[in-house]
Amino acid sequence: MIRYILKRLWHSGILAIVMSLIVFFGLYVVGDPVEMLSDDEFTEQDKIDLAIELGLDKPLFEQYFTYAGGMLQGDFGTSFVHNRPVLELILERLPATIEISLLAMIIGLSIGIPLGIFSGIKNNSRASKIISFFTTVGYSTPNFWQAIILIMVFAVFLQWLPASGRGLTNSMFGIEWAWLSLNGLQHMALPAINLAIYKICMQQRLAKSGTQEILYQEYMTFARAKGISRNRIIRRHLLRNILIPIVTITGLEVGGLIAFSTVTETIFSWPGIGKLLLDSIHMIDRPVVVAYLILITMMFVFINFVVDVMYAFLDPRIRHQK
Amino acid sequence: MNNTPLLKINNLTVTYPLNSEGSDVLKALDNISLKVNSGQIIGIVGESGAGKSTIGKAILGLLDPPAKLVSGEIRFLGNSLVGLSEAQFESLRGNQIGYIYQNPMTALNPVLTIGEQVIEAIEANTDMRGKNAQEYAIQLLERADVSFAEDRLQKYPHQLSGGLCQRIVFAIAIAAKPKLIIADEPTTALDVTVQQSVLQTLIKLSQQEQIAIILITHDIGVIAETCDYVYVLRYGKHVEQDATNKVLQRPTQDYTRALMASVPLIEKRLHRFALNEEDNLEDTSTGLHYLQEKQTTQDSTNEPLLEVRNLSKIFITPSSMLKAKQSFTAVKGVNFTVQRGETVGIVGESGSGKSTIGRMILGLEDITEGSVIYRGKDLKLITDSTERRAHCLSMQCIFQDPYSSLNPRMSAGENITYGLKIHNLIDNNKAGSLAQDLMSLVGLKRKDADKLPHAFSGGERQRIGIARSLAYRPDFIFCDEPTSALDVSVQANLLNLLKDLQEQFSLTLLFVSHDLAVIRQMCDRVIVMKDGEALENDSNDNIFEQPKHAYTRSLLEAMPKFQGLAQY
C-alpha cells in the first residue's frame, strides 16, 4: 500500500511538471500579458517598466524556473491582473464551486442509480422506456440551453427560485458556505439542478447497462435458488457489482464538475473558480492559469487515487492482485 | 410413511419462441414425466440441448423469459409448484429444494466473501442469526469436506480452487436441510482429478441428511457411479428410463448405447469408440488426394520426427520501479522424442506446463533453455527463409477452445484457407474448393463452407479447426486439449475422427489433456507431468497398468471406473 502511494506521488510529480511546462509555454505563444494589461495611454517606457515589474523581461526559461522555484516553496505567484497571491484568489472561490459540484453529484447519484436499476430490471416495461427516452434527451441537449429553460420556468414564470448569485452565506471552519442558510440553498438550487441533469442521465445509463449485464450472471440465479429475497439480492448482489464501473466514472465526473463548471457558473453568476479561470485565460493572467491547472491536475490525481482505493474495496479480485 | 413421491412431474412441456410472434416455438421439454422418492438419487442424462437444465429451473420457478411453461404438472410433496408467486417460490428455494450449479466459479458472487454467501443462505432459510449462523456455517463447510473452514469464510471465490468452491456451493445447498437437491452438472467444470472426490462428498451429504438428488449430467459415466434410477433425454424428449443398472446393462435404445460407448474408458484401450456414426455422404476423394500428394516427401529414416532436449521455460515478470522482478519456472528440463506416425500424450493437472511445451515446439513461445529438433533440424539454426517457412508450416495446432480459435467474421471456408493465401500457397479460386474438400474430409457438409462460425456447434467448430490445420498438409499436429470444452458424445466423435485421419495420413500427434481416459484412448506413449517436470514417460499400457511413479498412481486412483460400461 505504501509502495503504491509512493508510486502515485511520483507519477503526480511528473504530471505536475509536464502540465506546468505545457501551460507556461503555451500561454507565452498565445499573447503578451503586458499588452493585455496596458491601456492606450501607456508609453513604451511604461510597458517596459511593467514588464520588469512582472518579471517578464527575463528569458522565458528563466521565468519558468523562478516560477517553479517559488511553487516548490508553496508560492504560486501573484496575479498580474488582481495583484494578489494566486492561491488566495483560488481558495476564496473554491468553496462555492465545491458545494455546488457536490450537491449536483449527490442529486445525480441518488436519482440516477435507482432509476437505472429500475429500468435495467424492468427493461421492457413502458416506464423504463419513458425513463430512457428522457435521459437520452437530457444527455444530448446542451447544458446552457437547459440552464436557460430552468431560468425561464423556475425563475421567470413561476418565480420560485433565484436565478443568479450565491445568496446569503454562513461561516463554518472559517469558510463561507451557502448551503448553511435557506436563502443560500435556494440560490444553489437552479445551478445545482442544471449540473445534475447531465449526471442523472449518465448515472441512469451506467446503472442500467450494469444491471442488465449483472442480472443474467449465474450467481444472480444461484442467489435466487438459495431462497434469498428479491430486495436483498438487489441490495447486495446487484448493487455491489454495478458500483464498480459507477465509482470510476463518478470520480472523474466530480473532478470535471469542480474544474470545468464554467458554463453553468457563468450563466447563474455563481462566484466559483470556473469563472475565475475563464477571466484569467482572457487576460493571459499566467500565474493564475498555471496554478489553477496544476491544482486541478493534483486534484484529479487525488480523485483517481480515491477511486482506486474504492475500487479495491469493492472488488476483491483487484485487491488480491499482486 | 405414505406413498406420495417427493417430487412428481407429469407431462411437462416448456417452450422457447423462435420468432417474435411466438407462432414458431422450440420445445425445450416435450411431455416429460419423472418421479423422485425421498432420499433417492436419480439421474437425468443427455447431450447439450436435451433440456436437462430446463427441468431443474422449471421446478424452482427460475425459468427466465422468454421460456414458457406451457403445460404439465409439477408436484412437490403433493402440492403443485406451477404458477406459484415469486414469494411462495422464495420460501421453497433453499429451504425445501436446494440447487447446485455447473460452474462454481460463476455461481458464487465474486465480490462477496464465502462467509457472507453461506451465512445469507442460512439466515434466509433458518432461524439462526449472527454468531449462531457463523458457527453453523463453519459446521456446514466441514461437513462438505472443506479444510480450514473458519479461514475460508473470510476468503473470496477467486482465492479458492474450483473444487473447493463447488464444496462451498454444496454447503450452501444443504444449509436448511432441504428434502431435494437439484445438481446441474456439478462436476463438469472441474478438473478430472478432483471430480471423483467432489462427487463423493455430494453423495455422502445426501445420505447423511436424507436428501434426494436429481443429478443432471451429459456424462453417463457419472450416473453409473451414483444414481439409483436414470432418465435419458434427447432434444427435450424422453428416450428411456429405468433403474441405473438395468439401463447400463441392457439399454433398450440405440441412443443410450451410443451415449455409453462415448465415455472414454481407462481400463482398456479401444481401437475406436463404438458409436453409431452416420455415414459421410460427401465426396472425400479430392480432399484425400490433396493430402496424399504430400506424402511423397516422407523419408524412410528411423530418426524421430521430433526430439525435445532438456527443454525449460521460465516466465519472467519484468521488474518495475518499485517491484522486484519475479520468475516462474513453467517447464523444467523436459526430454522426449516423437516417432513418425506416433501419438504422444502429455497428461497433467492445470498449471503443470503441458501446453507450454507444445507452444515452445511450435515456436509460439520463446525457449528459455534446451532445444527442439524437428525433422532433424533446430528451427533456431535455420537461416534460409523458405526452408524456415516450410519447417514452421508443417507443424500445426488444434486449439482448446473452438469458440475463440476461429475468426468470427470469416466464413468456415475462409477460416480454413486464409493462412495458405497469406503464404501464397494457393490462389483465390482454388481456395474455395479446397476448403470444401477439407470440410468433407472432417465430416462437415461442403455447402456449409460459406456459413459463419456461429452457425456451427462446438463440435463442428472443432472440426473446422482440424480442417484448417490439415490445409497445410502438416507432418505434426499439436492438439491442445481439443475436446475438453465439449460434451462426452461429441468428444467421442471427434476423437474417432482424429484416429481416422491419423491412420489415413500417418500424422504425428502430440496430444495434451488433463483427462487420463482420453489419453488412454488416443496415445501410443504417455508423458506424465507435474509442476513443469516430466515424472514418467512410458508406453500407454505401462503407464495405465503398471504406473511407476506415485503421482501417476494417485491420478489413476482419482479416476472414476465404470465396470458396467466396459462391455460396450
Side-chain angles (χ1 to χ4, degrees):
Chain A
M1 189 65 191
I2 289 168
R3 169 183 292 179
Y4 178 75
I5 294 173
L6 285 175
K7 204 165 151 183
R8 268 296 157 104
L9 282 173
W10 166 252
H11 286 172
S12 62
I14 294 174
L15 248 164
I17 293 169
V18 173
M19 190 73 191
S20 63
L21 278 169
I22 294 172
V23 179
F24 203 91
F25 292 98
L27 279 178
Y28 178 78
V29 179
V30 171
D32 184 0
V34 176
E35 289 300 329
M36 297 301 295
L37 289 169
S38 49
D39 51 39
D40 296 344
E41 286 150 37
F42 269 50
T43 62
E44 281 307 305
Q45 187 56 43
D46 287 339
K47 287 183 185 174
I48 292 167
D49 289 345
L50 183 61
I52 291 170
E53 193 193 323
L54 297 176
L56 296 173
D57 55 330
K58 308 232 173 60
L60 189 61
F61 68 89
E62 199 184 321
Q63 292 179 35
Y64 177 75
F65 283 115
T66 314
Y67 183 77
M71 197 137 59
L72 285 177
Q73 293 159 32
D75 176 12
F76 283 77
T78 308
S79 161
F80 293 162
V81 179
H82 304 274
N83 203 16
R84 287 173 58 199
V86 170
L87 206 57
E88 203 180 294
L89 272 175
I90 291 176
L91 288 182
E92 189 179 275
R93 287 156 168 262
L94 196 59
T97 296
I98 287 180
E99 64 180 354
I100 205 80
S101 305
L102 290 185
L103 182 61
M105 210 63 230
I106 291 167
I107 297 173
L109 288 171
S110 55
I111 296 179
I113 292 178
L115 276 185
I117 293 177
F118 173 82
S119 44
I121 292 173
K122 302 247 179 243
N123 185 28
N124 287 319
S125 71
R126 174 170 295 224
S128 161
K129 282 179 183 144
I130 293 171
I131 292 169
S132 296
F133 170 76
F134 277 107
T135 53
T136 310
V137 171
Y139 205 70
S140 29
T141 47
N143 202 241
F144 69 86
W145 181 80
Q146 293 167 358
I148 292 165
I149 298 291
L150 283 174
I151 291 174
M152 270 171 59
V153 175
F154 293 100
V156 179
F157 292 137
L158 298 172
Q159 303 204 340
W160 287 354
L161 294 164
S164 78
R166 201 180 173 199
L168 289 174
T169 57
N170 285 332
S171 173
M172 192 166 98
F173 308 124
I175 302 169
E176 292 294 317
W177 300 101
W179 60 273
L180 293 170
S181 73
L182 181 65
N183 180 276
L185 277 174
Q186 283 170 343
H187 279 85
M188 283 172 82
L190 284 184
I193 291 169
N194 182 221
L195 290 173
I197 289 174
Y198 191 75
K199 305 300 154 198
I200 293 172
C201 301
M202 196 184 52
Q203 297 291 352
Q204 187 267 346
R205 291 154 70 101
L206 267 178
K208 184 184 174 187
S209 63
T211 302
Q212 291 203 292
E213 192 193 317
I214 302 297
L215 210 56
Y216 296 104
Q217 297 290 320
E218 284 191 351
Y219 54 77
M220 296 298 287
T221 317
F222 185 65
R224 282 170 72 198
K226 274 156 74 174
I228 294 164
S229 71
R230 198 181 173 78
N231 280 337
R232 192 187 164 88
I233 292 175
I234 291 172
R235 264 189 292 117
R236 277 185 76 150
H237 291 259
L238 181 76
L239 196 59
R240 202 53 196 275
N241 277 293
I242 64 168
L243 278 182
I244 295 168
I246 287 178
V247 161
T248 320
I249 301 293
T250 302
L252 295 175
E253 289 293 323
V254 169
L257 276 176
I258 293 175
F260 308 115
S261 298
T262 322
V263 173
T264 301
E265 286 187 2
T266 310
I267 295 174
F268 291 95
S269 307
W270 189 260
I273 47 173
K275 210 163 171 308
L276 176 69
L277 175 68
L278 208 63
D279 296 342
S280 304
I281 292 174
H282 197 69
M283 296 298 290
I284 317 186
D285 196 347
R286 199 169 63 196
V288 179
V289 179
V290 175
Y292 179 82
L293 289 176
I294 287 175
L295 285 177
I296 292 298
T297 310
M298 293 296 111
M299 183 186 73
F300 270 103
V301 170
F302 176 73
I303 286 174
N304 268 323
F305 172 72
V306 173
V307 165
D308 278 358
V309 170
M310 289 187 67
Y311 221 93
F313 171 75
L314 287 168
D315 193 339
R317 287 164 295 189
I318 292 168
R319 210 180 314 158
H320 297 121
Q321 252 168 27
K322 296 261 163 61
Chain B
M1 197 77 193
N2 58 22
N3 278 336
T4 321
L6 183 67
L7 181 85
K8 194 161 167 37
I9 296 178
N10 286 327
N11 308 321
L12 182 67
T13 301
V14 175
T15 61
Y16 285 88
L18 289 176
N19 53 12
S20 52
E21 300 92 57
S23 54
D24 197 8
V25 293
L26 171 82
K27 286 187 177 175
L29 288 177
D30 190 355
N31 220 6
I32 294 295
S33 302
L34 62 84
K35 194 177 83 175
V36 189
N37 292 319
S38 65
Q40 192 186 21
I41 303 180
I42 70 144
I44 300 178
V45 66
E47 296 167 88
S48 323
K52 304 164 301 203
S53 303
T54 311
I55 296 182
K57 288 192 171 158
I59 295 170
L60 280 175
L62 292 173
L63 287 175
D64 286 318
K68 199 172 152 205
L69 200 160
V70 181
S71 62
E73 201 182 29
I74 305 173
R75 286 191 176 275
F76 181 71
L77 293 170
N79 305 315
S80 174
L81 300 188
V82 177
L84 291 189
S85 71
E86 187 68 16
Q88 286 167 314
F89 268 123
E90 258 165 38
S91 62
L92 196 76
R93 293 178 194 144
N95 204 359
Q96 301 282 324
I97 304 176
Y99 198 87
I100 292 167
Y101 247 112
Q102 172 169 2
N103 188 347
M105 301 313 260
T106 55
L108 295 173
N109 192 327
V111 303
L112 300 177
T113 62
I114 301 299
E116 284 174 289
Q117 301 190 54
V118 179
I119 289 168
E120 75 174 352
I122 295 172
E123 292 187 338
N125 298 309
T126 69
D127 298 332
M128 282 178 260
R129 295 289 178 275
K131 189 133 184 62
N132 286 340
Q134 165 110 10
E135 275 165 17
Y136 183 53
I138 295 170
Q139 275 180 35
L140 283 175
L141 292 193
E142 280 168 354
R143 253 184 266 169
D145 301 324
V146 176
S147 50
F148 309 108
E150 199 167 345
D151 297 338
R152 308 282 196 206
L153 290 183
Q154 318 303 324
K155 302 280 186 209
Y156 289 90
H158 69 272
Q159 295 173 293
L160 305 177
S161 70
L164 267 178
C165 284
Q166 194 61 301
R167 290 170 193 278
I168 286 155
V169 170
F170 292 173
I172 291 172
I174 60 163
K177 295 196 173 63
K179 297 195 173 59
L180 173 67
I181 286 180
I182 298 162
D184 189 353
E185 305 265 13
T187 57
T188 310
L190 307 178
D191 248 24
V192 177
T193 42
V194 297
Q195 282 185 6
Q196 174 90 336
S197 66
V198 167
L199 201 59
Q200 274 163 359
T201 300
L202 180 63
I203 304 304
K204 182 192 81 179
L205 288 172
S206 83
Q207 283 163 354
Q208 276 174 3
E209 315 277 341
Q210 276 294 303
I211 303 171
I213 296 180
I214 298 179
L215 185 66
I216 297 169
T217 180
H218 66 90
D219 187 347
I220 204 164
V222 171
I223 300 274
E225 289 223 306
T226 49
C227 301
D228 314 327
Y229 200 87
V230 58
Y231 292 82
V232 182
L233 254 61
R234 190 185 198 187
Y235 305 136
K237 289 192 177 69
H238 172 269
V239 174
E240 168 159 25
Q241 70 177 73
D242 211 330
T244 307
N245 51 14
K246 274 194 193 160
V247 171
L248 294 189
Q249 274 153 26
R250 284 184 298 281
T252 60
Q253 303 296 316
D254 286 347
Y255 181 66
T256 315
R257 238 169 263 138
L259 273 185
M260 289 164 63
S262 61
V263 178
L265 297 175
I266 203 153
E267 289 83 2
K268 193 169 75 181
R269 188 172 179 200
L270 305 168
H271 180 59
R272 288 175 106 252
F273 290 91
L275 309 170
N276 35 355
E277 288 165 296
E278 285 160 28
D279 289 334
N280 194 342
L281 300 173
E282 303 280 333
D283 173 22
T284 57
S285 59
T286 42
L288 281 170
H289 180 70
Y290 171 75
L291 288 171
Q292 275 157 352
E293 244 178 14
K294 174 76 179 308
Q295 307 271 306
T296 49
T297 59
Q298 199 178 41
D299 44 40
S300 52
T301 53
N302 283 331
E303 259 179 39
L305 180 69
L306 177 76
E307 194 177 349
V308 168
R309 288 182 197 153
N310 202 22
L311 197 63
S312 293
K313 176 72 191 178
I314 300 174
F315 287 104
I316 293 172
T317 336
S319 63
S320 59
M321 192 173 348
L322 295 157
K323 205 161 83 182
K325 114 180 154 179
Q326 289 178 319
S327 69
F328 167 71
T329 310
V331 178
K332 289 177 205 159
V334 171
N335 290 291
F336 63 88
T337 55
V338 182
Q339 303 294 333
R340 275 183 191 276
E342 192 182 31
T343 302
V344 172
I346 304 182
V347 69
E349 295 169 80
S350 11
S352 59
K354 41 191 200 309
S355 295
T356 312
I357 291 180
R359 296 177 65 84
M360 282 194 282
I361 292 171
L362 295 178
L364 296 174
E365 202 80 72
D366 287 332
I367 295 168
T368 311
E369 211 181 301
S371 56
V372 172
I373 312 293
Y374 175 66
R375 299 204 295 203
K377 282 182 177 151
D378 187 340
L379 174 64
K380 275 194 276 190
L381 305 177
I382 301 175
T383 46
D384 179 51
S385 68
T386 319
E387 193 186 345
R388 202 181 156 84
R389 193 177 71 175
H391 188 93
C392 291
L393 289 181
S394 79
M395 293 190 276
Q396 288 301 318
C397 184
I398 300 167
F399 295 92
Q400 173 170 9
D401 183 357
Y403 292 89
S404 59
S405 61
L406 297 178
N407 187 333
R409 305 251 175 262
M410 283 186 191
S411 72
E414 286 168 335
N415 262 299
I416 291 170
T417 52
Y418 75 90
L420 291 178
K421 286 189 213 161
I422 287 170
H423 289 290
N424 287 322
L425 295 172
I426 194 166
D427 47 48
N428 274 334
N429 39 16
K430 280 191 191 148
S433 63
L434 176 65
Q436 292 188 9
D437 292 345
L438 291 169
M439 283 180 75
S440 71
L441 210 57
V442 296
L444 296 168
K445 293 195 181 73
R446 285 173 175 271
K447 63 178 169 62
D448 289 347
D450 293 333
K451 289 187 181 166
L452 289 173
H454 70 81
F456 295 90
S457 71
E460 288 168 338
R461 285 177 199 217
Q462 205 56 304
R463 284 170 193 262
I464 298 173
I466 294 173
R468 176 175 57 185
S469 65
L470 289 177
Y472 299 88
R473 295 188 273 199
D475 291 326
F476 171 81
I477 301 181
F478 169 55
C479 309
D480 190 0
E481 306 246 18
T483 59
S484 65
L486 306 171
D487 267 14
V488 212
S489 54
V490 181
Q491 162 174 290
N493 274 303
L494 217 73
L495 294 180
N496 272 352
L497 172 70
L498 279 174
K499 283 176 179 231
D500 293 346
L501 290 171
Q502 185 178 27
E503 274 173 23
Q504 281 170 314
F505 310 113
S506 62
L507 288 170
T508 309
L509 303 181
L510 181 64
F511 197 100
V512 160
S513 177
H514 66 260
D515 191 335
L516 284 156
V518 168
I519 292 282
R520 171 70 158 160
Q521 295 306 319
M522 288 304 291
C523 303
D524 304 313
R525 268 187 323 110
V526 181
I527 298 162
V528 181
M529 286 201 65
K530 186 179 197 302
D531 302 332
E533 280 178 277
L535 299 179
E536 204 166 345
N537 178 352
D538 213 331
S539 72
N540 185 318
D541 286 344
N542 281 349
I543 291 274
F544 284 95
E545 283 159 26
Q546 293 141 13
K548 291 188 196 68
H549 203 281
Y551 178 70
T552 314
R553 281 197 291 277
S554 72
L555 278 183
L556 284 169
E557 273 158 27
M559 290 298 295
K561 313 242 179 336
F562 318 114
Q563 265 80 21
L565 297 176
Q567 53 193 312
Y568 291 97

